Amino acid sequence: MTMKIGEAMESLLRGGMPVRFTAYDGSSAGPPDAEIGLELVNPRGLAYLLTAPGDLGMARAYVSGDLLLHGVHPGDPYDALVLLQNNLSFRAPSPSEAVELVRSLGLGTLRPPPPPPGEALPRWRRAMEGLRHSMGRDAEVISHHYDVSNAFYELVLGPSMTYTCAVYPSADATLEEAQFEKYDLVARKLDLQPGQRLLDVGCGWGGMVRHAAREYGVRALGVTLSRQQASWAKEAIDREGLADLAEVRHLDYRDVMESDFDAVSSIGLTEHIGVRNYPAYFAHLRDRLRPEGRLLNHCITRPHNHRQDIGAFLDRYVFPDGELTGAGRIITEVQNVGLEVMHAENLRRHYALTLAAWCQNLKDNWDACVAEVGEGTARVWGLYMAGSRLAFERNEIQLDHVLAVRTTEAGDDGFPLRPTW
């Protein structure tokens, strides 16, 4: 007897289907009155699910439009992800069940379809084209994510054009207020003063560079591997009349040879460096500082200190070659290059709020975003940002500030006895 897709799905679940599931063969599963529904549109979607188990297969089907979510907006599928994560649990079929399932669904479902456009190569294929975290390969993967479209980023990120965790001074603060507070908190931790020199590595669209120049009278240099980011930042600097103080270069941070900076900020770059490269990374930043110069490292972390890749979906569609570890590992590596760690702070809940605001922007500007980058890419962003929000809320990932200083040979650090920020 041939088993239909809905029956097969239900047979593999512990506790039943928490949403209404319908398939192209007319079958269904789950409560008929469920507010959220999953619709499998065609055989290609089924093949995606079966040939790449886990988040990658589901992401491929969803990005391609072969698996539809009903009851939530594609710009913010957060409610669906919460429901599925809380209630969807698959069991492994026995060998005889697996044979029966394949026989019922057809051998053709085990033939992998071509991946959707926009998916990065698997890591083993990327390794054939360049060493992981070499300058060439880093430039390629940064371009994959950040050179999407400046117009798209303006729609999603808002006027600040800031693609890193904001700091909410209160729960009802706007995204723009929170991004201003984030930059200002970094500036206060670095104790920026008029006339000082700041290096901002991985500067994005120049938000920190412009804030330091505009609010603190600091001469700021930012570097980014994204050509589109550098172009946008230069235009913003000119538009705001900051060209005498602020500069952004399209450059790898490893190619910055200037030194004697009063401060270095790294906001959202460490995730792209590779854990094995932390010693060289922090040593390079240390060498850019004058004695008593400060370093502020802001990055996504794990709640443990093991090196961990970011998962198949994020690696293929969002941050190729990304790696995360814990704040303890970062502090260890900062100390090992001779910097003194003065303060660490976990801003995990702030990133959940930031991602919720970005999803709202994507939802509010959905048609314009789709027109700019295509529906597949817009779906990727909604899925990844809503999923990341959930991960921050559940303490699966964190966001840490680590503040350090290059002490003098006599041990002077230039700090007051208590923090001033």
Side-chain angles (χ1 to χ4, degrees), residues 103-266:
R103 184 182 295 119
S104 295
L105 299 177
L107 288 173
T109 58
L110 297 181
R111 186 177 302 113
E119 180 175 312
L121 293 170
R123 291 199 176 199
W124 67 269
R125 285 282 305 279
R126 298 200 296 269
M128 297 171 64
E129 300 183 3
L131 290 174
R132 192 175 184 178
H133 299 299
S134 64
M135 286 189 177
R137 184 160 156 184
D138 277 354
E140 289 179 12
V141 299
I142 291 297
S143 179
H144 175 89
H145 186 69
Y146 294 101
D147 288 341
V148 175
S149 159
N150 283 336
F152 172 75
Y153 278 109
E154 287 173 346
L155 292 166
V156 174
L157 303 180
S160 73
M161 279 295 271
T162 299
Y163 187 30
T164 46
C165 176
V167 174
Y168 282 76
S170 63
D172 60 353
T174 67
L175 175 62
E176 292 306 302
E177 289 169 341
Q179 290 295 12
F180 183 96
E181 174 62 19
K182 182 266 297 297
Y183 286 132
D184 212 64
L185 178 61
V186 172
R188 299 195 306 267
K189 287 181 174 180
L190 292 173
D191 194 29
L192 295 182
Q193 303 293 331
Q196 288 186 337
R197 297 172 65 229
L198 167 71
L199 171 64
D200 186 40
V201 293
C203 69
W205 291 272
M208 183 65 208
V209 167
R210 288 180 287 121
H211 187 95
R214 183 180 61 246
E215 304 296 328
Y216 288 85
V218 168
R219 289 178 290 146
L221 168 64
V223 295
T224 173
L225 275 176
S226 167
R227 193 177 299 277
Q228 288 192 27
Q229 285 183 336
S231 176
W232 193 98
K234 289 174 185 176
E235 292 177 5
I237 287 169
D238 291 339
R239 186 168 61 245
E240 296 178 23
L242 298 172
D244 59 330
L245 289 174
E247 178 187 1
V248 167
R249 300 176 191 167
H250 176 232
L251 189 69
D252 192 297
Y253 77 93
R254 288 165 283 197
D255 286 330
V256 177
M257 292 295 112
E258 292 102 320
S259 60
D260 290 323
F261 286 94
D262 298 281
V264 173
S265 53
S266 174

Side-chain angles (χ1 to χ4, degrees), residues 67 97 143 149 155 172 174 265 291 347 349 351 377 398 410 413:
L67 181 67
E97 285 180 310
S143 179
S149 159
L155 292 166
D172 60 353
T174 67
S265 53
L347 297 165
R349 291 186 295 163
Y351 218 153
T377 297
Q398 301 176 346
D413 54 40

Side-chain angles (χ1 to χ4, degrees), residues 72 130 243:
V72 293

Side-chain angles (χ1 to χ4, degrees), residues 93-107:
S94 67
S96 61
E97 285 180 310
V99 170
E100 179 58 31
L101 283 170
V102 170
R103 184 182 295 119
S104 295
L105 299 177
L107 288 173

